[in-house]
């Protein structure tokens, strides 16, 4: 028998860095337990072992640690089905923890909430976006601080969905609407509130809410239509960031070669000029009600033209729209679905779903909660 150290050629540095160390395996298993409880609710240690494929000993050990850390709590006995000792149930300690979520995407109000680990909203607050650009950061910090004080439980973290391009470290690279450039919002909030902070683009937050709470699949685009148009993408269940953290910035993609409405960016026929709420509403206001569906169908077709290559390239199974139901819910989404289907490969994309989100106005707040769940507990 040859000794291992004699025969194993050293791996290149990158490969060695990727080797699974015992502490990584432990962190992975810990997340697996939390994830299983998050989705499955209270269960016995034996159920957990069965669900996770881990041994009973490993589960007992992990659960004991998680109880000490107050993430998991025992929840009484299960009714015994037969003879023998009834099993003790364990669950996430849902009552002991809260999450603070902020949605900075509206033009007039910043909205925030205290949420449960299940994404239910306990308390809400909102504050006017200050006209003075210099006061915006303090307003956001103040809102977050008030919500932390409202929580009356351990705050697991603060999640923020903001307009603009946000990098992996939670630095807002550019959010012109708020006057932000290279703003380390994560660092500022962490320093002010001494809690873990996770910041992402609002549409990227929204797609996480749709995935975790709205039953969306692992390959989905969420198109958020408001003052602007942005999208959040999941591929294989993972957020897609892109080379410059700007994946999903589809608002200023020009749709077609036949012109179209003027866009604020100076171009003509951008997706945003076709389907953003202000531009769509302005065009509808000039038309008789009888002509509204035609206009909405046109806009939906343009949206479909922009989305078809994305669906094709990434083999997406779902397009979810978030925005005013009265504008997006009817003719527009039907035309978008039809356009994407006729412009992609029938064999693969005939089953493509195009639907409105059921998360309503709170989608970014709930997505911010998922960011915290994922960042702190490894739950998705
Ligand atoms: Zn544009």
């Amino acid at each position: 028998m040859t000794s291992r150290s004699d025969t194993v050629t050293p791996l290149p540095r990158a490969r060695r860095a990727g080797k699974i160390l015992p502490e990584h395996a432990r962190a992975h298993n810990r997340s697996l337990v939390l994830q299983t409880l998050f989705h499955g609710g209270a269960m016995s240690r034996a159920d957990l072992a069965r669900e996770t494929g881990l041994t009973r000993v490993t589960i007992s050990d992990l659960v004991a640690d998680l109880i000490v850390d107050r993430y998991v709590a025992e929840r009484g006995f299960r009714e015994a089905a037969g003879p023998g000792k009834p099993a003790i149930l364990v669950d996430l300690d849902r009552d002991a923890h809260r999450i603070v979520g902020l949605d900075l995407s509206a033009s007039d109000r910043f909205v925030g909430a205290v949420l449960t680990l299940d994404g239910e909203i306990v308390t809400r607050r909102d504050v006017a976006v200050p006209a003075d650009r210099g006061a915006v950061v303090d307003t956001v910090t103040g809102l977050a601080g008030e919500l932390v004080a409202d929580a009356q439980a351990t705050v697991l973290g603060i999640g923020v969905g903001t307009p603009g391009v946000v990098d992996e470290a939670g630095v807002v690279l550019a959010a012109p609407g708020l006057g932000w450039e290279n703003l380390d919002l994560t660092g500022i909030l962490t320093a002010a509130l001494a809690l873990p902070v996770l910041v992402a683009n609002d549409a990227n937050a929204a797609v996480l809410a749709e995935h975790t709470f709205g039953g969306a699949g692992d390959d989905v685009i969420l198109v958020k239509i408001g003052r602007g148009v942005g999208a959040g993408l999941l591929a294989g269940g993972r957020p897609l960031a892109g080379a410059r953290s700007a994946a999903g910035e589809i608002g200023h993609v020009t749709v077609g070669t036949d012109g179209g409405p003027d866009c604020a960016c100076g171009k003509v026929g951008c997706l945003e000029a076709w389907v953003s709420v202000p531009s769509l509403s302005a065009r509808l206001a000039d038309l008789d009600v009888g002509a509204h569906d035609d206009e909405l169908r046109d806009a939906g077709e343009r949206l479909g033209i922009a989305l078809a290559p994305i669906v094709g390239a990434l083999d997406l199974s779902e397009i979810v729209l978030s925005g005013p139901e009265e504008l997006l819910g009817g003719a527009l989404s039907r035309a978008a679905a039809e356009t994407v289907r006729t412009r992609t490969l029938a064999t693969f994309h005939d089953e493509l779903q195009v639907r409105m989100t059921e998360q309503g106005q709170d989608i970014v707040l709930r997505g911010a909660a998922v960011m915290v769940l994922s960042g702190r507990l490894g739950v998705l």
Side-chain angles (χ1 to χ4, degrees):
M1 193 173 157
T2 47
S3 99
R4 255 181 111 76
S5 57
D6 291 333
T7 54
V8 175
T9 349
L11 291 167
R13 182 174 282 275
R15 290 277 305 280
R16 262 189 294 163
K19 199 170 95 174
I20 296 178
L21 301 167
E23 60 266 35
H24 292 162
R26 191 170 175 78
H28 171 84
N29 291 343
R30 193 178 152 98
S31 292
L32 195 58
V33 167
L34 292 168
Q35 168 107 347
T36 306
L37 292 174
F38 177 74
H39 291 290
M43 60 181 80
S44 70
R45 288 169 175 82
D47 296 334
L48 262 176
R50 205 166 30 245
E51 293 282 325
T52 57
L54 299 172
T55 65
R56 292 285 295 271
V57 175
T58 306
I59 289 292
S60 291
D61 203 28
L62 287 167
V63 167
D65 274 4
L66 287 166
I67 289 175
V68 170
D69 294 343
R70 299 186 46 240
Y71 289 123
V72 167
E74 292 191 334
R75 288 282 177 255
F77 294 94
R78 173 185 288 150
E79 298 280 322
K85 234 171 39 171
I88 300 170
L89 300 175
V90 292
D91 193 7
L92 291 185
D93 197 349
R94 296 173 200 260
D95 298 329
H97 293 94
R98 293 289 181 257
I99 294 170
V100 167
L102 301 183
D103 175 3
L104 311 182
S105 65
S107 53
D108 52 344
R109 317 278 305 164
F110 292 141
V111 184
V114 176
L115 299 103
T116 66
L117 301 191
D118 299 309
E120 298 304 326
I121 290 175
V122 183
T123 313
R124 286 172 197 275
R125 281 180 185 267
D126 61 68
V127 59
V129 177
D132 172 13
R133 287 272 176 92
V136 173
V137 171
D138 282 349
T139 303
V140 172
T141 309
L143 177 61
E146 286 174 356
L147 288 162
V148 169
D150 287 338
Q152 299 180 338
T154 304
V155 175
L156 204 54
I158 301 169
V160 184
T162 172
V165 176
V166 183
D167 76 7
E168 220 173 77
V171 174
V172 183
L173 300 180
L178 295 171
W180 290 349
E181 214 185 303
N182 293 320
L183 179 84
D184 181 8
L185 187 59
T186 305
I188 292 168
L189 289 175
T190 306
L193 300 163
L195 282 166
V197 175
L198 293 119
V199 179
N201 167 271
D202 59 333
N204 292 344
V207 77
L208 293 175
E210 199 57 47
H211 186 247
T212 299
F213 299 122
D218 282 349
D219 298 277
V220 55
I221 184 167
L222 180 135
V223 183
K224 191 165 180 287
I225 298 178
R227 193 160 43 124
V229 178
L233 283 150
L234 293 184
R238 300 273 148 203
L240 205 67
R244 290 169 198 81
S245 308
E249 290 290 319
I250 56 175
H252 298 283
V253 168
T254 308
V255 191
T257 52
D258 56 346
D262 291 333
C263 184
C265 75
K267 294 192 293 187
V268 168
C270 290
L271 182 59
E272 197 160 301
W274 280 106
V275 305
S276 77
V277 171
S279 61
L280 204 48
S281 306
R283 291 205 304 285
L284 291 178
D286 289 340
L287 294 170
D288 290 338
V289 174
H292 280 194
D293 269 8
D294 281 346
E295 187 63 38
L296 291 169
R297 211 171 294 129
D298 263 11
E301 190 181 354
R302 296 292 168 161
L303 178 62
I305 293 171
L307 295 179
I310 303 172
V311 168
L314 296 176
D315 186 11
L316 302 177
S317 57
E318 249 174 314
I319 296 172
V320 183
L321 304 180
S322 165
E325 171 95 38
E326 66 277 16
L327 290 178
L328 311 178
L332 190 149
S333 64
R334 279 196 302 275
E338 205 178 294
T339 306
V340 174
R341 283 192 204 110
T342 55
R343 286 175 171 251
T344 51
L345 199 56
T347 333
F348 293 109
H349 304 303
D350 255 10
E351 308 287 302
L352 180 89
Q353 297 270 328
V354 180
R355 61 177 175 86
M356 288 296 297
T357 178
E358 283 166 16
Q359 303 295 311
Q361 298 293 310
D362 295 328
I363 188 166
V364 174
L365 292 175
R366 304 188 84 200
V370 176
M371 285 152 54
V372 172
L373 286 167
S374 158
R376 298 279 287 122
L377 306 182
V379 167
L380 261 182

